[in-house]
Amino acid sequence: AWAADGVLWAATSRDLYRLPPGEPPQAIAFEPDVGAREVLALLVARDGWVWVGANVGLYRFAANGAPAGHERRSTRLPDERVLSLLEDDTGAVWAGTRVGGVVRLRAPTVESLGSPEGLSDRVLAVSATCDGAVWTAGPDALARAHRGDVRTWRPGRELPPVSPRLLATIER
């Protein structure tokens, strides 16, 4: 993921690297380091914060690589396994989780959305469109959330009998 300052952020399955132009790669330390970590998603937000989704929660780093926070189920996440990340047009960060639906983080609030709101509880992908709508894809639903309204399409009903897994949007 590219940052506005030209720094490339890259992740392996376990590690995070900051690659400033013309400098050697910098390994970034996870704090707290909870051991068997697996990196699953990476987002560089417009404000410069770097978000990393992992099997042990959601990490946040400053643009210089300094650790700035870690959310887990014991803090504010409904599930620790963060599979996908998105920043919407308001600057809120959306984190798709394995069994907790999607979480919308906009300081200082955290809002969880899942099956009660019409979304899948397992969110494999999250994306946004230029009108501000946020789309989520999971094994039991493709959903569009926009200004408090949620529309859902389900496999075998409004969709062919296959599970949505990936999303791509085109900005116009």
Side-chain angles (χ1 to χ4, degrees):
W2 289 99
D5 60 2
V7 171
L8 174 64
W9 288 83
T12 66
S13 60
R14 278 199 42 79
D15 298 308
L16 179 65
Y17 295 91
R18 184 177 180 272
L19 295 96
E23 296 180 29
Q26 302 166 354
I28 303 300
F30 283 82
E31 291 179 19
D33 189 350
V34 294
R37 175 188 60 256
E38 180 184 3
V39 175
L40 302 169
L42 177 62
L43 168 72
V44 178
R46 290 185 300 276
D47 60 8
W49 291 110
V50 178
W51 298 83
V52 178
N55 64 324
V56 291
L58 180 63
Y59 290 87
R60 186 170 64 134
F61 296 90
N64 67 1
H70 179 224
E71 298 286 348
R72 299 183 75 166
R73 190 173 358 169
S74 60
T75 57
R76 302 187 298 172
L77 293 182
D79 179 47
E80 293 195 348
R81 194 169 184 96
V82 176
L83 305 174
S84 55
L85 292 167
L86 164 80
E87 180 183 21
D88 71 15
D89 62 348
T90 71
V93 172
W94 295 71
T97 68
R98 181 188 52 160
V99 296
V102 69
V103 178
R104 182 179 182 268
L105 299 104
R106 179 87 175 157
T109 62
V110 175
E111 177 185 15
S112 295
L113 304 166
S115 56
E117 293 79 23
L119 282 70
S120 179
D121 282 329
R122 183 174 188 181
V123 176
L124 303 172
V126 60
S127 189
T129 52
C130 58
D131 66 353
V134 173
W135 289 77
T136 63
D140 57 348
L142 174 66
R144 178 183 186 269
H146 190 244
R147 297 188 180 127
D149 180 49
V150 176
R151 181 162 180 218
T152 305
W153 295 265
R154 302 218 178 262
R157 295 184 205 163
E158 300 87 4
L159 295 174
V162 293
S163 298
R165 293 187 174 272
L166 300 173
L167 295 171
T169 56
I170 298 172
E171 300 225 4
R172 298 195 190 271

